């Protein structure tokens, strides 16, 4: 059905042409699911866009053939391509938040492909199909979703809407570009199940693009591994995952954080005796909800419902839970950015600092890295520019960046480099306590690995204690000494990493662990 | 509902504040209506008598309360200068200014939206470059100067209208509109240039967003993507600008009315200020303030209509 041969993509926007995809080959049968794996920058998204016929930049040179049922996507007429798009080839994207038009109702967007490709269909029939499709993607109350706007839905619901909109004309090929990356673990799991069901019931072939190897392993029969624009390894999923030939594939597989028992059990006691740095007891907070009418009593939605924790010197305390459970609110309360309604927070250290999730958004784009690093010193009244500069440069070295980075702007850095800068900025005042809120969630697996490594080594070097907040069970496992599991504003389980991961008591913890599929099982 | 109550309360509070500020300003600036009415040769006794008659000797606050009481009963008072009611003085001038503003506004919308879309669609091409350059020039020319240029080109050289030859609505409707179109162009040009620039930038940045890629992936062509998906999103900042521009035009048509010799609110406002004709100035300012606030209110509603993410509160 799909035959890609000798695909080469080159950018010509610089003096020297940059090859983003090199000699790419792919063959797909109808109804097949193929995984395309690689880190960001490996060219996998470019390849996907090319196959979907969505690369129309003038400064790009495309060579090779992309035959979809005998027709070449690269050379066929614009009008023919448009007839295929949305009808025979559909695509869903990584960001369900931004991939839907914010000002148009969901129903309109789900129906759009029908309006374009089935102009003879009348309004009632279109609506009937859209509602059917919305309930097919397991959205409850399809009628309400149909009338809603994207901002009124959650991330998982929006991705379901995207899938419904893509599937409405029953395409033969669905290209899914990182469709679950921006979602919570349990929702990722549901979306993958949904894609599997669609594949089974509608016989839609799926090209599943992801950097998440454990998801790809769960979903795909065949896998193609890409690096730096070229194919590194491809073949049967079992073979690639359990008998990888290429060092790069081995590295990718090794980077999946895994739970293996008894890794650092001995260290546990050493941390047990440390001085208490932070004590949070019975903190409650609620936010007022909007009133529907003038006379309605203002409702308070509780976000934290009696949370207690202690963090000892030199310890990494993991806090896991899905988005919306109150983890970030707790971090804000600890930092004093939000005032609790009841309970107390006692600090036994100066200047706790925070590292945020989004290394793209949390650095001022108009300032150079050096300026950003010096800022905390400037606020604290370190006047001498030379002293500030020296400290900034030595911090860059500590976080593993060269001195030349000081004169770059954040946009000139990669995601991993930016997160290093964020960490550096947080450590400028040599805090004792660092709060990392989803600090690696936006990064690629191998970059994630490096940043975790960095945090662990800085922790040793600077005697840091870390409150490590994440929705990713595997990452928390790798980082933490002790773990708290949070749900709906309450701590449902806590204990050492070993206790929580290998002998979970609470059913919610078990569910999280199951959804995270912590590697070991199929690998044996 | 609550939103409307809140807005109306805000409107009233603002009008009250504006009217008091104008009142207070006249107490501070030199000059006195009695002297202005009687001329400099009048005896102090006559001036004093007139002041007493007009109630000008009462304290500021008392005078203000007296005025606001009359105002609320619908009595705008009488002009000190001309022996007629303020209502009848403003009555036939307000529609002239409003027409001027309305025509200018329609011109801005009609000129800027198609041009902005065209610029963005063919960004980097000849048309785009030409419009961008023309924009820079037009933006730099203030309305009164372009008014003079228009008078020169269309009036004195091309003889499309008679400069200063204002025809009222009652005399000849077509001629009235024909005359008004030129001052409207003078007002609309610099604002249209800004709106084109804003819309162009807005569309170009919207075109880079993810939902545009989604729209293409469903088989939309560039035209459909532009008109069905992007335009509505791109208009949001433009609406903000148009709202501000409209408020600015209601208040700012004064100078252009001078240039084109149009008997609108602007002219009578200027003469009334120099004559210290409080009641007239007061009424005009309150009128303008009311219009500006009303326009802002409409813009809020329009926002809500265009962008469902906005909640009114």
């Amino acid at each position: 059905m799909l035959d890609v041969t000798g695909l080469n993509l080159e950018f010509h926007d610089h003096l020297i042409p940059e090859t983003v995809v090199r000699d790419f080959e792919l063959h797909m049968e109808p109804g097949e699911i193929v995984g395309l794996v690689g880190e960001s920058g490996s060219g996998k998204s470019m390849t996907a866009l090319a196959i979907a016929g969505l690369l129309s930049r003038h400064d790009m040179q495309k060579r090779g053939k992309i035959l979809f049922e005998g027709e070449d996507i690269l050379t066929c007429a614009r009008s023919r391509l448009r007839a295929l798009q949305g009808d025979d080839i559909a695509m869903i994207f990584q960001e369900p938040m931004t991939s839907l038009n914010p000002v148009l109702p969901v129903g309109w967007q789900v129906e759009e492909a029908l309006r374009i490709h089935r102009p003879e269909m009348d309004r009632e029939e279109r609506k009937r199909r859209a509602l059917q499709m919305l309930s097919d993607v397991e959205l409850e109350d399809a009628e309400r979703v149909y009338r809603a706007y994207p901002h009124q839905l959650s991330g998982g619901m929006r991705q379901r809407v995207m899938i419904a909109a893509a599937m409405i004309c029953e395409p033969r090929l669905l290209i899914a570009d990182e469709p679950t990356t921006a979602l919570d673990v349990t929702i990722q799991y549901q979306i993958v199940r949904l894609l599997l069901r669609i594949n089974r019931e509608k016989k839609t072939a799926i090209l599943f693009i992801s950097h998440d190897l454990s998801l790809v392993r769960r979903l795909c029969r065949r896998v193609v591994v890409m690096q730096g624009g070229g194919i590194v390894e491809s073949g049967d999923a079992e073979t690639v995952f359990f008998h990888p030939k290429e060092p790069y594939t081995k590295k990718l597989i090794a980077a999946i954080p895994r739970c293996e028992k008894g890794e650092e059990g001995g260290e546990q006691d050493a941390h047990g005796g440390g001085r208490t740095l932070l004590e949070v007891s019975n903190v409650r907070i609620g936010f007022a909800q909007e009133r529907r009418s003038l006379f309605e009593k203002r409702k308070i939605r509780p976000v934290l419902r009696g949370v207690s924790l202690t963090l000892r010197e030199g310890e990494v305390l993991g806090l896991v839970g899905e988005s919306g459970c109150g983890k970030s609110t707790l971090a804000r309360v600890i930092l004093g950015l939000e005032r609790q309604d009841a309970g107390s927070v006692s600090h036994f250290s100066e200047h706790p600092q925070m590292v945020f999730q989004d290394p793209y958004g949390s650095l001022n784009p108009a300032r150079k890295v050096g300026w950003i690093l010096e800022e905390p010193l400037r606020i604290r009244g370190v006047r001498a520019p030379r002293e500030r500069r020296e400290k900034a440069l030595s911090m860059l070295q500590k976080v593993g960046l060269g001195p030349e980075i000081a004169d770059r702007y954040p946009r000139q850095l990669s995601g991993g480099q930016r997160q290093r800068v964020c960490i550096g900025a947080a450590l400028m005042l040599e805090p004792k306590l660092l709060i990392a809120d989803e600090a690696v969630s936006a990064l690629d697996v191998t970059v994630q690995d490096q940043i975790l490594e960095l945090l662990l080594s800085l922790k040793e070097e600077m005697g840091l204690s870390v409150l490590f907040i994440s929705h990713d069970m595997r990452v928390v496992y790798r980082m933490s000494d002790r773990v708290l599991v949070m749900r709906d504003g309450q701590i449902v389980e806590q204990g050492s990493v070993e206790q929580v991961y290998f002998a979970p008591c609470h059913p919610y913890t078990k569910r999280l662990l199951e959804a995270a599929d912590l590697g070991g099982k199929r690998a044996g | 509902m609550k939103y409307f109550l809140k807005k109306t309360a805000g409107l009233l509070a603002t009008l009250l504040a504006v009217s008091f500020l104008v009142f207070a300003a006249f107490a501070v600036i030199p000059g006195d209506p009695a002297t202005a009415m009687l001329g400099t040769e009048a005896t102090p006794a006559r001036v004093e008598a007139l002041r007493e008659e007009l109630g000008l000797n009462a304290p500021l606050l008392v005078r203000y309360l007296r005025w606001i009481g009359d105002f609320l009963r619908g009595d705008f008072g009488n002009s000190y200068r001309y022996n007629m009611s303020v209502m009848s003085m403003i009555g036939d001038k307000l529609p002239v200014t409003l027409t001027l503003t309305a025509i200018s506004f329609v011109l801005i919308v009609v000129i800027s939206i198609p041009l902005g879309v065209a610029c963005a669609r063919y960004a980097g091409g000849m048309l785009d470059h030409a419009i961008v350059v023309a924009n820079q020039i037009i933006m730099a020319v203030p309305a009164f100067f372009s008014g003079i240029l228009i008078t020169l080109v269309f009036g004195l050289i091309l003889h499309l209208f008679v400069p200063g030859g204002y025809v009222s609505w009652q005399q000849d409707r077509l001629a009235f509109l024909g005359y008004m179109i030129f001052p409207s162009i003078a007002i609309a040009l610099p604002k249209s240039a800004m709106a084109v620039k804003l819309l162009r930038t807005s569309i170009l940045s919207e075109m880079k967003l993810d939902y545009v890629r989604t729209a293409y992936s469903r088989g939309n062509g560039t035209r459909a993507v532009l008109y069905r998906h992007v335009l509505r999103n791109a208009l949001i900042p433009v609406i903000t600008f148009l709202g501000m521009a409209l408020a600015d035009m209601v208040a700012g048509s004064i100078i252009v009315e001078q240039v084109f010799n149009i008997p609108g609110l602007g002219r009578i406002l200027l003469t009334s200020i120099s004559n210290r004709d409080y009641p007239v100035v007061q009424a005009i300012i309150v009128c303008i303030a009311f219009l500006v606030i009303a326009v802002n209110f409409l813009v809020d509603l329009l926002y809500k209509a265009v962008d469902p993410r906005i909640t009114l509160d």
Side-chain angles (χ1 to χ4, degrees):
Chain A
M1 179 191 65
L2 179 70
D3 241 317
V4 184
T5 44
L7 180 66
N8 276 275
L9 300 173
E10 266 175 27
F11 276 124
H12 283 265
D13 55 346
H14 298 293
L15 280 175
I16 307 156
E18 188 190 351
T19 309
V20 286
V21 173
R22 210 169 342 100
D23 301 327
F24 183 85
E25 312 266 334
L26 177 69
H27 176 81
M28 273 179 87
E29 293 295 329
E32 195 182 20
I33 307 185
V34 175
L36 187 54
V37 183
E39 296 175 75
S40 57
S42 62
K44 58 188 192 319
S45 287
M46 281 294 160
T47 309
L49 290 173
I51 295 173
L54 291 172
L55 280 185
S56 58
R57 288 176 52 164
H58 299 294
D59 53 5
M60 176 168 254
Q61 202 192 334
K62 292 167 274 192
R63 277 181 290 128
K65 277 195 167 67
I66 302 176
L67 295 178
F68 179 78
E69 306 196 321
E71 249 174 308
D72 193 345
I73 301 279
L74 290 180
T75 54
C76 74
R78 256 308 222 338
S79 57
R80 179 67 197 133
L81 184 58
R82 284 212 299 270
L84 288 175
Q85 286 170 336
D87 194 1
D88 296 307
I89 304 176
M91 187 157 179
I92 55 177
F93 301 93
Q94 174 170 4
E95 289 295 339
M97 304 293 167
T98 53
S99 294
L100 289 165
N101 191 332
V103 302
L104 297 171
V106 164
W108 192 96
Q109 300 190 54
V110 172
E111 284 174 3
E112 182 167 30
L114 283 181
R115 251 192 318 273
I116 296 169
H117 299 290
R118 311 273 187 277
E120 71 288 350
M121 194 178 279
D122 63 15
R123 183 187 288 258
E124 281 78 45
E125 176 62 12
R126 270 206 308 265
K127 182 170 182 187
R128 200 187 58 74
R129 291 250 191 132
L131 288 174
Q132 179 59 41
M133 201 63 229
L134 285 172
S135 46
D136 274 359
V137 295
E138 293 155 27
L139 280 163
E140 284 167 31
D141 204 355
E143 188 77 40
R144 190 183 66 82
V145 174
Y146 182 88
R147 271 179 283 120
Y149 286 94
H151 71 280
Q152 294 163 327
L153 307 177
S154 70
M157 288 166 90
R158 284 185 231 195
Q159 195 59 287
R160 284 170 196 274
V161 168
M162 279 295 293
I163 294 174
M167 292 303 301
I168 191 101
C169 289
E170 311 210 327
R172 272 165 289 176
L173 173 62
L174 178 67
I175 301 172
D177 186 5
E178 302 266 6
T180 60
T181 308
L183 305 172
D184 269 345
V185 194
T186 48
I187 295 167
Q188 285 187 357
Y189 187 50
Q190 292 164 8
I191 296 285
V192 166
R193 261 203 339 229
L194 174 64
L195 287 174
L196 272 173
R197 217 197 73 211
I198 286 174
N199 169 258
R200 215 173 40 237
E201 288 173 7
K202 315 219 173 197
K203 302 279 176 270
T204 310
I206 300 177
L207 179 58
F208 187 83
I209 296 140
S210 180
H211 69 267
D212 190 334
L213 289 155
S214 56
L215 278 182
V216 171
R217 182 170 53 195
R218 185 177 285 173
L219 191 65
C220 308
R221 280 282 146 66
R222 230 146 47 75
V223 186
V224 178
V225 182
M226 278 183 92
Q227 184 200 14
I231 295 178
V232 179
E233 189 163 358
S234 72
D236 181 58
E238 298 285 325
T239 322
V240 172
F241 278 115
F242 302 121
H243 309 286
K245 283 199 243 30
E246 299 299 319
Y248 178 73
T249 318
K250 286 181 187 158
K251 202 178 115 211
L252 269 185
I253 291 168
I256 308 177
R258 245 179 234 172
C259 291
E260 273 145 37
K261 220 165 181 171
E263 220 174 83
E264 41 194 323
E267 280 179 60
Q268 203 55 43
D269 296 333
H271 296 301
R275 187 167 69 93
T276 301
L277 267 191
L278 170 73
E279 193 159 351
V280 172
S281 69
N282 215 12
V283 163
R284 286 168 188 281
I285 190 167
F287 295 118
Q289 271 178 325
E290 224 176 282
R291 276 186 290 193
R292 295 241 172 73
S293 79
L294 193 57
F295 307 104
E296 193 183 47
K297 226 177 130 186
R298 207 172 262 281
K299 279 200 198 107
I300 304 287
R301 187 170 57 89
V303 174
L304 295 179
R305 306 192 283 185
V307 173
S308 303
L309 64 88
T310 43
L311 179 61
R312 284 187 288 269
E313 198 163 24
E315 179 184 49
V316 178
L317 181 61
L319 180 62
V320 280
E322 293 180 88
S323 59
C325 75
K327 325 186 278 294
S328 293
T329 309
L330 180 60
R332 294 174 61 82
V333 169
I334 291 172
L335 281 173
L337 297 172
E338 203 85 63
R339 197 149 172 74
Q340 70 270 29
D341 299 332
S344 68
V345 176
S346 333
H347 289 283
F348 302 98
S349 74
E350 274 182 281
H351 332 303
Q353 292 290 325
M354 186 143 174
V355 179
F356 298 92
Q357 169 170 10
D358 184 4
Y360 297 89
S362 35
L363 293 171
N364 185 341
R367 291 294 188 177
K368 289 180 180 167
V369 167
W371 191 95
I372 293 169
L373 287 176
E374 287 173 28
E375 186 168 34
L377 298 176
R378 220 173 291 118
I379 295 167
R380 291 284 157 174
V382 178
R383 289 268 158 69
R386 174 171 289 171
E387 189 189 338
R388 289 203 305 253
R389 190 71 179 176
E390 272 168 16
K391 287 201 173 171
L393 290 179
S394 88
M395 182 52 75
L396 276 177
Q397 198 190 350
K398 269 188 194 160
V399 296
L401 295 170
E404 73 282 358
I405 301 289
D407 291 316
R408 303 243 172 102
Y409 287 99
R411 73 181 129 77
Q412 297 168 307
L413 306 181
S414 71
Q417 285 175 319
R418 287 186 225 204
Q419 197 58 294
R420 283 171 194 267
V421 172
C422 290
I423 292 170
L427 296 179
M428 280 307 278
L429 295 174
E430 302 181 355
K432 283 274 153 228
L433 172 61
L434 184 70
I435 298 176
D437 188 1
E438 301 278 9
V440 297
S441 305
L443 304 173
D444 273 343
V445 195
T446 49
V447 182
Q448 254 184 14
D449 208 46
Q450 292 159 9
I451 296 288
L452 294 179
E453 206 63 62
L454 173 70
L455 278 172
L456 285 171
S457 73
L458 286 171
K459 180 201 126 190
E460 293 303 324
E461 196 183 326
M462 303 179 69
L464 277 177
S465 307
V466 183
L467 177 58
F468 190 84
I469 301 173
S470 179
H471 69 270
D472 191 331
M473 297 294 282
R474 295 172 295 185
V475 169
V476 169
Y477 178 81
R478 179 127 158 56
M479 270 304 284
S480 318
D481 303 316
R482 277 195 308 129
V483 182
L484 303 175
V485 181
M486 195 164 175
R487 187 194 190 189
D488 290 340
Q490 282 172 317
I491 305 285
V492 294
E493 180 153 7
Q494 58 177 309
S496 74
V497 173
E498 286 74 16
Q499 282 164 2
V500 174
Y501 277 68
F502 297 112
C505 304
H506 199 278
Y508 181 69
T509 315
K510 287 180 189 160
R511 232 174 67 213
L512 280 180
L513 285 166
E514 189 198 326
D517 181 29
L518 289 151
K521 286 173 213 159
R522 277 177 68 180
Chain B
M1 189 57 219
K2 195 174 144 204
Y3 172 75
F4 284 95
L5 286 177
K6 236 170 159 175
K7 275 280 162 185
T8 317
L11 174 87
L12 291 177
T14 314
L15 289 183
L16 218 61
V18 166
S19 63
F20 184 74
L21 278 178
V22 178
F23 226 92
F26 276 113
V28 178
I29 56 174
D32 159 89
T35 335
M37 281 166 83
L38 296 171
T40 37
E41 283 99 59
T43 61
R46 279 201 59 197
V47 173
E48 194 47 41
L50 187 61
R51 286 183 64 85
E52 195 60 47
E53 189 193 322
L54 294 174
L56 291 174
N57 285 335
L60 179 71
L61 204 62
V62 175
R63 273 189 287 146
Y64 178 68
L65 290 176
R66 216 179 269 160
W67 176 81
I68 201 104
D70 287 342
F71 187 85
L72 290 180
R73 267 177 269 129
D75 177 7
F76 288 28
N78 288 317
S79 161
Y80 292 164
R81 183 75 179 189
Y82 310 99
N83 205 7
M84 58 199 291
S85 76
V86 172
M87 198 68 128
S88 62
M89 275 179 77
I90 305 182
D92 55 339
K93 309 277 188 309
L94 184 63
V96 175
T97 299
L98 285 184
T99 316
L100 184 61
T101 314
I103 298 178
S104 315
F105 185 73
V106 170
L107 279 177
I108 294 177
V109 172
V110 170
I111 295 172
S112 65
I113 292 182
L115 279 186
V117 171
C119 264
R121 182 155 180 199
Y122 304 107
M126 283 295 284
L127 177 73
D128 180 40
H129 283 305
I131 295 177
V132 167
V133 170
N135 252 340
Q136 298 292 1
I137 297 168
I138 292 169
M139 239 184 279
V141 179
F144 80 87
F145 188 68
S146 53
I148 294 171
L149 284 183
I150 286 170
T151 313
L152 181 70
V153 176
F154 294 103
L156 299 179
I157 299 176
L158 297 176
H159 300 291
L160 290 178
F161 74 109
V162 184
Y166 172 76
V167 186
S168 78
W169 173 255
Q170 287 81 2
Q171 285 169 317
D172 182 347
R173 295 178 182 197
L174 219 60
F176 169 75
L177 290 177
Y179 187 81
M180 292 302 257
I181 196 92
F182 295 97
S184 302
I185 292 174
I187 296 176
L189 272 181
K191 299 242 188 293
S192 309
M194 290 179 212
V196 167
K197 192 179 159 88
L198 194 61
L199 183 60
R200 175 182 182 275
T201 320
S202 176
I203 291 178
L204 287 181
S205 62
E206 287 288 327
M207 289 297 276
K208 293 197 187 92
L209 297 183
D210 290 347
Y211 72 84
V212 171
R213 195 179 49 186
T214 311
Y216 277 117
S217 81
R218 290 187 195 135
N220 280 300
T222 307
R223 248 185 97 82
V225 169
L226 204 54
Y227 288 103
R228 280 197 217 135
H229 286 269
V230 171
L231 190 56
R232 220 169 124 184
N233 282 291
L235 276 178
I236 294 166
V238 180
I239 290 172
T240 315
F241 170 75
L242 288 180
M244 290 189 296
L246 190 55
D248 190 37
M249 279 167 2
V250 174
S253 53
I254 295 173
I255 294 164
V256 171
E257 284 180 9
Q258 290 293 309
V259 173
F260 284 89
N261 194 28
I262 295 168
L265 279 188
R267 256 216 337 228
I268 133 171
L269 180 64
L270 283 185
T271 37
S272 303
I273 291 175
S274 49
N275 288 334
R276 303 287 178 267
D277 201 344
Y278 299 155
V280 181
V281 177
Q282 195 76 290
I284 293 176
I285 301 261
V286 170
C287 260
I288 291 178
F290 175 79
L291 286 172
V292 169
I293 297 169
V295 163
N296 274 324
F297 177 65
L298 286 178
V299 168
D300 279 358
L301 290 184
L302 193 58
Y303 253 163
K304 168 93 186 126
V306 171
D307 188 349
R309 285 166 297 182
I310 289 170
T311 47
L312 301 175
D313 55 26

